[in-house]
Amino acid sequence: MTKLIGITPSRRSLLKGMAATASALALPGFVQAQSSAPIKLGFQLHRTGIGAAYGRWYERTTQAALKVLNDQGGINGRPVEVVFEDDGTDPKRGAEVVEKLASQAGCDAIFGPLFSHVVIGSAPRAGELKVPYLVCSEGYHVASGKLNRWTMQPGITDVRAQVSSMAPWVANNLGKKVTMVFPDYAFGHDHRDFFTAAIAAQGGEVIKHIAVPPTETSFTRYLPQIPRDTEVLYHVMVGPAVLTFVKELGEFYGSGARPEIFGFIDSLEAVDTAAPGLEFLEGTHFWEGHCRVKQADASEHETFYRAAVGVDDNGASVSDAKDVSTYAHMFSTWETLFLIKAGMEAAGYQGSADRQKLIEALEAMTELPESQAHPQGSKIFNGKLHQVFGRQNISKVEGGKLVRVHQTTIDETMYESDVDYTAMSF
Amino acid sequence: MRRAAAISLLWPGAALACALPPSIIMTLPTGYYMAGAAATVAVTGLLAASPNLLPRMEARVLLRRRVLIPVMASSYAAWVLFLALVLIGFIGARDPMHNLLTLTIWTVVWVALPMGCMIFGNLWRAVNPWTAPIRLTRQLLGRSTGIGLARLGHWPAVLGLFGFFWFYIVSMSPDDPQTLATAALSYWAVVFALGVLEGEDWLEQGEFLTVYFGFLAKIAPFWLERDSTRATVKYGWPGTQVLHMPPLSPSAIAFVTLSLAGLTFDGLRETFWYMGLIGENPLEFTGRSAVIGVNSLGLLVTWALTATTILAALRLGPLLQSRPVLAFAGGAVPSEKRPNLMPVMLSFLAISAGYHAAHYLTTLLTAGQYTLAALNDPLFRGDDFLGLPPFYVSMGFLTDRWAMTLVWNTQFTLILGAHILAVILALRLSPEGVQARAHFPLTALMVAYTVLGLWLLASPGG
């Protein structure tokens, strides 16, 4: 509880910036005046609209990363500013935000959007304006090849990798006969398609797909559709009715036998798994992109990251134990900011004329070892796909806390693809 | 794809204007609450049969004192503050939750100030940013006459309120500091110009904020009455002042029904029910840009339905009257002898006020934190103007069962209290000699409104 929200930029970083300016002036001819000016980055923030809960933590994480980055000397010795602009979690506004940040605010690069439909609506504008656009969305739309040379996802893995890499462990440890319960729209369909194929490759089978309309608020009529011989119930319900879903699922099975249960933490991101009403989740498993509860073998980088963002060992805000963060996803903004730094330094970035060089430098990256810049863990960036790959976690709810029971390798998350963004023109 | 997800669970402010995450409320027995509230309002309506049981609503004097700060001074200060905020809107932080203009307009002016007016009377009168500039300008120009705007009644305010609701509920980016600064400054300038032409008294019927706050303040249990040198603080049952108001003109009725409709639609548009109606997936809401047309229509239709049902109830009631208002002997009741229930329209001010407070309670608790933080440290330099301990904006209560149960019960109390008050006011405002049966349509409507208000607050929203 030592910080106020929104330290943009801190006094210290301003002083550092001024010091950098002073030292630049002291070395005439060594650097141009422009190169001592702050590097300006745009953050496309879901401040309002349906993405606002994620937006709040994405901003908080980015502010923390920015402070660390500036305290460490910025990028190429230049201080960094981040301009946060709200896109209302709206694709049309998203495209306008990209334009504002690139053209009006003069940002060198833009990062941060999460929701897939906003990314898909905004990325074409970034391509037209030729501004690096680094998304934190998990969507498969980047790796699918349908975006452009200027758009990449270097800070978080995509849904295809996440879902597919769960199948081997589920088949070997929980069971091979799977029933899937998912909301009946694109998000649920991705899970259905990727997991059904992946479990089949493991000799398993999805014996029933139960698609629930997104506006449903009670699930009692769907639960009896779960076949009796189900060994694993795979659920990805999301939205306001999630607590009702868990409650009704608990009532459906009562205290009797139930199948193993596997879900995605997206259902309960930013919700305390120990909260009353969620007791039924005890002993069930979840995918987590980044383990919310600090694990026994947590690295020093993980510890540093938590402290910097102001998150406690349970993944909640240090100032409010009930305020659980969007921990499984928000690391992506931190890692993306440090990747921009790495990319700009590799490219010898001077100004907006070097935007293309930044993209090329990022495309050339491969291994990203676990470090302060990558607290979630080591990753491998695929420059052709514009997509990063990393380890996935499976956690079990034990005593209301998510305890990791398995971590995939990076190789397990990779898939074949013939997409090659580097062959596209700028 | 995947992101269109759990988010609404938590949503701290899908815009400063978003409903609370109903996840916990959805697990509460809200159906019983609604049934209980409906029964309570209906039973209150039975008081029509025994009007002597109605509370005597009389104003009492709490204290008298000299006027400490003349309205001209406080209005002038508010105007200067307004200009400073507009400047912040244009050049300050782009993030709406870090911009004092956005935060002040949407959490102070539209949420905290109305709540204050409902308790302490017309606080807006003191901080109206037009009064002083208009009066001073008119004095400088030597203007003492108007141009006849008063003949338009409340219609300019109706237009202003509709524009406001449209901007707030429907338009693409009401939170964007520059957009908001442009809109606020433009509106200020238009009203200023009209006020200079007509005189500052015109604000009371032509400027929607002045009208709206003035109406809400009529519900307050405390209020201030002042002449040029003396101020009198009075108190009484909530709504006491309403009994002394003249009946509403047609344009004022349009204003009150629009204010109810706007608030209703602001809640309605976020419900799964409405999303389903317009073919939007609430879990993957496309965004405001996709629903501007249909929501504009929705706002208009809601207004039409609200006005129609209220006016129908007020007209239908007198038809049920079986004997003339004044003791008349036998025979059919001639239409001119039927009671006029239109003065009862004033009772809907209580519903407006209660729904406003309940609907924006979570906005106050969420976005209000950002406002405090921004007031404490407006330039984000680590200042501490309010002497607050360092804090992170925190939304933990939204997923806490105890806290959300408390929030729900508070909203329930506000909605139920407002409707009980409305029923009592309706009975008190009725002309002498109105039979209990003439109140049935109105009481039925109040019951329906109670359930609707609670349903909007309990519904899952995207």
Side-chain angles (χ1 to χ4, degrees):
Chain A
M1 268 220 287
T2 52
K3 288 179 294 184
L4 281 161
I5 56 157
I7 345 110
T8 41
S10 70
R11 188 179 282 160
R12 193 168 163 196
S13 65
L14 281 175
L15 291 175
K16 280 213 163 197
M18 288 156 69
T21 311
S23 61
L25 290 173
L27 295 167
F30 177 65
V31 272
Q32 300 165 340
Q34 186 201 10
S35 66
S36 59
I39 285 179
K40 225 185 211 187
L41 303 175
F43 194 102
Q44 184 181 344
L45 179 65
H46 301 333
R47 174 57 94 189
T48 60
I50 191 174
Y54 276 90
R56 178 165 65 94
W57 283 100
Y58 270 40
E59 190 235 4
R60 182 155 155 181
T61 307
T62 307
Q63 296 279 18
L66 178 65
K67 182 167 188 313
V68 169
L69 187 137
N70 274 325
D71 286 352
Q72 291 173 351
I75 295 176
N76 275 329
R78 291 165 61 184
V80 178
E81 272 178 27
V82 174
V83 181
F84 291 88
E85 179 92 27
D86 177 29
D87 67 7
T89 326
D90 183 314
K92 188 165 173 229
R93 239 182 114 180
E96 291 176 8
V97 163
V98 165
E99 176 145 6
K100 254 188 205 170
L101 289 171
S103 306
Q104 287 180 24
C107 292
D108 296 284
I110 297 168
F111 69 118
L114 166 73
F115 272 58
S116 295
H117 68 299
V118 181
V119 167
I120 292 166
S122 310
R125 197 78 195 100
E128 289 160 18
L129 296 168
K130 303 186 187 302
V131 59
Y133 187 56
L134 283 63
V135 303
C136 304
S137 104
E138 289 191 312
Y140 177 59
H141 37 260
V142 178
S144 70
K146 73 185 203 184
L147 298 180
N148 55 57
R149 186 83 187 260
W150 295 90
T151 304
M152 47 176 62
Q153 185 154 259
I156 192 163
T157 58
D158 67 67
V159 62
R160 179 174 176 183
Q162 293 167 358
V163 173
S164 306
S165 65
M166 295 292 99
W169 190 87
V170 169
N172 293 328
N173 295 276
L174 300 182
K176 289 191 161 59
K177 288 184 174 174
V178 181
T179 293
M180 297 185 75
V181 185
F182 54 89
D184 195 8
Y185 69 99
F187 164 73
H189 298 165
D190 275 355
H191 279 266
R192 178 194 63 194
D193 297 345
F194 294 138
F195 189 79
T196 303
I199 198 80
Q202 298 298 319
E205 183 194 359
V206 176
I207 57 174
K208 178 81 178 168
H209 288 115
I210 302 176
V212 180
T215 47
E216 200 60 85
T217 53
S218 177
F219 308 92
T220 45
R221 47 192 268 250
Y222 299 95
L223 301 177
Q225 297 175 28
I226 302 171
R228 285 185 178 275
D229 57 341
T230 297
E231 292 171 356
V232 183
L233 182 66
Y234 181 115
H235 67 97
V236 285
M237 299 308 293
V238 291
V242 161
L243 300 184
T244 311
F245 175 74
V246 173
K247 181 173 153 237
E248 291 175 352
L249 197 59
E251 287 162 1
F252 178 71
Y253 283 111
S255 54
R258 62 159 172 82
E260 293 288 348
I261 293 174
F262 180 86
F264 263 63
I265 199 64
D266 300 58
S267 299
L268 292 171
E269 186 70 314
V271 175
D272 184 2
T273 47
L278 295 181
E279 295 82 359
F280 181 71
L281 294 176
E282 185 70 16
T284 73
H285 295 84
F286 280 98
W287 165 89
E288 286 191 288
H290 194 191
C291 290
R292 170 193 296 186
V293 172
K294 189 176 172 186
Q295 304 294 312
D297 61 350
S299 70
E300 58 179 306
H301 310 304
E302 166 75 25
T303 305
F304 176 83
Y305 166 78
R306 273 180 199 267
V309 182
V311 171
D312 68 16
D313 288 355
N314 289 323
S317 172
V318 288
S319 64
D320 177 3
K322 305 269 188 200
D323 194 6
V324 176
S325 63
T326 56
Y327 205 80
H329 302 91
M330 68 196 197
F331 70 88
S332 56
T333 63
W334 175 292
E335 297 205 1
T336 302
L337 180 59
F338 281 98
L339 271 163
I340 293 172
K341 170 186 164 80
M344 284 185 164
E345 291 183 345
Y349 190 89
Q350 294 291 315
S352 53
D354 295 332
R355 282 170 173 169
Q356 184 174 325
K357 280 192 202 164
L358 170 59
I359 291 290
E360 287 165 340
L362 287 167
E363 284 172 343
M365 289 185 179
T366 51
E367 295 195 9
L368 311 169
E370 182 169 359
S371 60
Q372 210 172 73
H374 297 286
Q376 186 265 351
S378 303
K379 293 184 182 60
I380 293 176
F381 187 66
N382 183 329
K384 289 183 173 179
L385 287 183
H386 279 195
Q387 176 60 53
V388 83
F389 292 85
R391 290 175 175 162
Q392 310 298 331
N393 305 291
I394 296 175
S395 300
K396 185 177 184 182
V397 183
E398 292 177 1
K401 287 191 178 187
L402 287 153
V403 179
R404 191 181 68 222
V405 294
H406 179 69
Q407 190 170 49
T408 69
T409 64
I410 299 178
D411 282 346
E412 282 176 293
T413 70
M414 293 180 149
Y415 47 78
E416 292 295 316
S417 171
D418 50 11
V419 170
D420 185 1
Y421 280 109
T422 61
M424 292 183 188
S425 60
F426 275 98
Chain B
M1 282 181 263
R2 61 179 301 117
R3 279 289 44 81
I7 319 2
S8 33
L9 274 179
L10 266 220
W11 129 195
L16 298 154
C18 192
L20 66 157
S23 53
I24 287 179
I25 290 182
M26 277 175 73
T27 64
L28 299 176
T30 51
Y32 291 121
Y33 278 86
M34 288 179 215
T40 310
V41 173
V43 167
T44 310
L46 294 180
L47 284 174
S50 39
N52 54 334
L53 291 179
L54 292 172
R56 292 168 61 83
M57 298 169 114
E58 286 173 354
R60 295 173 198 284
V61 173
L62 189 64
L63 59 96
R64 288 193 172 86
R65 57 165 172 75
R66 281 185 46 240
V67 170
L68 300 177
I69 305 170
V71 165
M72 283 292 281
S74 57
S75 166
Y76 189 80
W79 175 61
V80 172
L81 185 66
F82 170 75
L83 292 183
L85 286 172
V86 167
L87 190 65
I88 289 173
F90 283 122
I91 64 171
R94 298 286 307 130
D95 181 344
M97 292 293 177
H98 288 176
N99 190 292
L100 265 179
L101 175 75
T102 305
L103 290 166
T104 305
I105 301 261
W106 296 132
T107 65
V108 179
V109 176
W110 186 236
V111 176
L113 190 59
M115 291 181 183
C117 288
M118 290 171 215
I119 300 172
F120 301 112
N122 198 342
L123 305 174
W124 172 255
R125 190 185 293 136
V127 296
N128 188 325
W130 285 285
T131 318
I134 289 175
R135 193 183 298 174
L136 291 175
T137 308
R138 279 172 69 85
Q139 281 171 2
L140 283 175
L141 297 176
R143 278 192 73 87
S144 60
T145 55
I147 54 168
L149 279 182
R151 281 175 302 177
L152 298 177
H154 285 81
W155 288 115
V158 174
L159 190 67
L161 184 64
F162 187 84
F164 169 82
F165 276 135
W166 188 87
F167 177 71
Y168 180 51
I169 298 171
V170 180
S171 79
M172 195 152 90
S173 44
D175 296 326
D176 179 77
Q178 283 178 10
T179 308
L180 184 58
T182 307
L185 191 61
S186 308
Y187 179 68
W188 184 89
V190 169
V191 171
F192 171 74
L194 293 175
V196 167
L197 293 172
E198 180 70 13
E200 73 268 16
D201 291 344
W202 168 79
L203 295 172
E204 302 278 341
Q205 65 181 75
E207 195 283 305
F208 81 91
L209 286 168
T210 310
V211 175
Y212 189 62
F213 288 122
F215 280 160
L216 290 183
K218 294 293 182 190
I219 300 303
F222 300 97
W223 65 96
L224 186 73
E225 290 176 7
R226 58 201 291 172
D227 53 35
S228 56
T229 56
R230 303 288 297 175
T232 307
V233 180
K234 293 187 174 176
Y235 69 102
W237 277 90
T240 299
Q241 302 168 83
V242 173
L243 300 180
H244 303 289
M245 291 170 72
L248 297 176
S249 65
S251 59
I253 288 176
F255 189 90
V256 172
T257 53
L258 176 58
S259 72
L260 270 175
L263 295 171
T264 305
F265 185 66
D266 193 25
L268 183 70
R269 73 188 166 95
E270 290 168 344
T271 60
F272 276 26
W273 179 83
Y274 180 79
M275 293 268 189
L277 192 69
I278 64 171
E280 271 286 332
N281 174 1
L283 302 181
E284 196 178 41
F285 178 54
T286 321
R288 281 180 165 230
S289 67
V291 294
I292 287 179
V294 69
N295 275 2
S296 302
L297 184 67
L299 179 59
L300 280 169
V301 169
T302 308
W303 186 17
L305 285 175
T306 305
T308 309
T309 50
I310 293 176
L311 292 175
L314 293 179
R315 297 239 185 256
L316 189 62
L319 298 180
L320 299 178
Q321 181 91 3
S322 62
R323 58 170 188 262
V325 179
L326 299 172
F328 248 66
V333 183
S335 61
E336 67 275 15
K337 300 300 178 195
R338 293 188 192 282
N340 176 12
L341 285 186
M342 279 303 152
V344 172
M345 187 70 215
L346 285 166
S347 61
F348 282 88
L349 293 178
I351 297 181
S352 242
Y355 192 74
H356 193 121
H359 182 61
Y360 295 116
L361 181 62
T362 38
T363 303
L364 185 71
L365 297 175
T366 51
Q369 292 182 51
Y370 283 102
T371 311
L372 273 185
L375 287 171
N376 195 44
D377 181 18
L379 300 174
F380 304 105
R381 308 184 305 181
D383 292 323
D384 185 15
F385 292 150
L386 303 182
L388 298 174
F391 70 103
Y392 284 111
V393 165
S394 185
M395 305 293 170
F397 74 96
L398 292 172
T399 53
D400 180 66
R401 178 161 291 273
W402 185 87
M404 285 316 289
T405 304
L406 182 66
V407 165
W408 164 253
N409 278 285
T410 307
Q411 292 176 318
F412 172 79
T413 308
L414 287 165
I415 294 284
L416 178 58
H419 286 80
I420 288 177
L421 178 60
V423 170
I424 291 173
L425 286 175
L427 298 178
R428 289 296 309 269
L429 288 164
S430 299
E432 289 284 317
V434 173
Q435 288 172 280
R437 58 199 299 173
H439 286 288
F440 286 170
L442 193 64
T443 303
L445 183 64
M446 298 272 189
V447 169
Y449 245 95
T450 310
V451 174
L452 174 66
L454 291 173
W455 178 78
L456 288 173
L457 293 167
S459 286

